Amino acid sequence: AVAGGVGFLLLCTLGHAATHPKDIDGSLVRLAWCAVPLAATAQLAVAIARTDPATGPRSGLAAAGYGPGRLTLLTAVSAAVFCALGSGLALLVFLQLRGDLLGRPVAATAELLGAGEPLPWAAVLTLLAVGPVTTAVASAIALRPREPRAEKSAPSGISHGLPWGIALTATGLALEAYAGRGPAPAPESLFPLPGRLDGSPPGVVGGWALTAIGLVLAGPGLAQLIGKVLS
């Protein structure tokens, strides 16, 4: 049904071009706007193909010669066939509204669909083939066989960033303690927190920066080590 709607829009663009042969820019703009519903149709076809249980690998089908490659091809052909049915229905509706099949054209859509103007059937078939070909290619690309990824073994040792993090943290604390000491440092002022950067010595700021970087590096290793201890 969605492919039929896209095919009808493409045929309407062709009808406008047949009625207004000199308005090439207008016809191109109408044709460009059809790319949005066409992309939505391809996305819908891919979503349906991915959720279809028949597209999954089965040992019985593989033994009969229908491996992942042939299943992908079968899914692409199936999507193309359904879209071709929708495009054919869109062509019947389009010709009926133009008055080419039975009776007179619908007055409200005569100018829009180019009623009375001859249609180039090569262009008609080309436009109607855009939807099936696009959905088939999109489905084949989305479901193409991929090589199985090798499972990554879980890390057994401690993170390599733990010793570097501990070293940087210790260096930062030492630098902060050395740069922040006064004539008679009190115990509570051994590691003074800088409230404002303009009122803190550069060594204190640099020490806390090294401490922060060290904690970032040592964090994953500490969490892993704690997990091992808990285990």
Side-chain angles (χ1 to χ4, degrees):
V2 177
V6 175
F8 187 79
L9 290 177
L10 291 172
L11 292 177
C12 289
T13 303
L14 180 61
H16 177 271
T19 309
H20 307 83
K22 296 183 179 180
D23 189 11
I24 300 179
D25 295 337
S27 299
L28 290 178
V29 170
R30 291 171 180 264
L31 186 62
W33 274 109
C34 294
V36 177
L38 181 63
T41 304
Q43 177 65 24
L44 179 60
V46 170
I48 293 176
R50 284 177 174 173
T51 56
D52 188 1
T55 60
R58 297 181 182 180
S59 58
L61 291 177
Y66 284 92
R70 289 196 175 184
L71 284 178
T72 301
L73 180 61
L74 184 62
T75 302
V77 172
S78 177
V81 168
F82 280 111
C83 290
L85 292 176
S87 299
L89 180 60
L91 177 61
L92 293 178
V93 175
F94 179 76
L95 294 178
Q96 175 61 30
L97 293 178
R98 278 174 46 93
D100 295 338
L101 294 180
L102 300 173
R104 301 168 58 182
V106 179
T109 60
E111 183 180 359
L112 177 64
L113 304 182
E117 299 291 339
L119 290 178
W121 285 100
V124 171
L125 297 179
T126 301
L127 290 177
L128 291 180
V130 170
V133 171
T134 302
T135 54
V137 172
S139 300
I141 293 177
L143 299 179
R144 67 185 185 278
R146 297 180 176 87
E147 296 182 359
R149 298 180 179 179
E151 297 183 358
K152 297 181 180 180
S153 58
S156 57
I158 303 300
S159 174
H160 297 289
L162 180 59
W164 289 101
I166 294 176
L168 285 178
T169 302
T171 303
L173 290 177
L175 178 61
E176 192 274 337
Y178 177 79
R181 64 179 180 176
E188 63 273 7
S189 63
L190 183 58
F191 301 106
L193 289 173
R196 297 177 59 184
L197 295 179
D198 55 357
S200 302
V204 174
V205 178
W208 279 105
L210 288 178
T211 302
I213 296 175
L215 291 177
V216 170
L217 291 177
L222 288 175
Q224 186 178 3
L225 182 60
I226 292 173
K228 286 183 173 296
V229 171
L230 291 177
S231 300

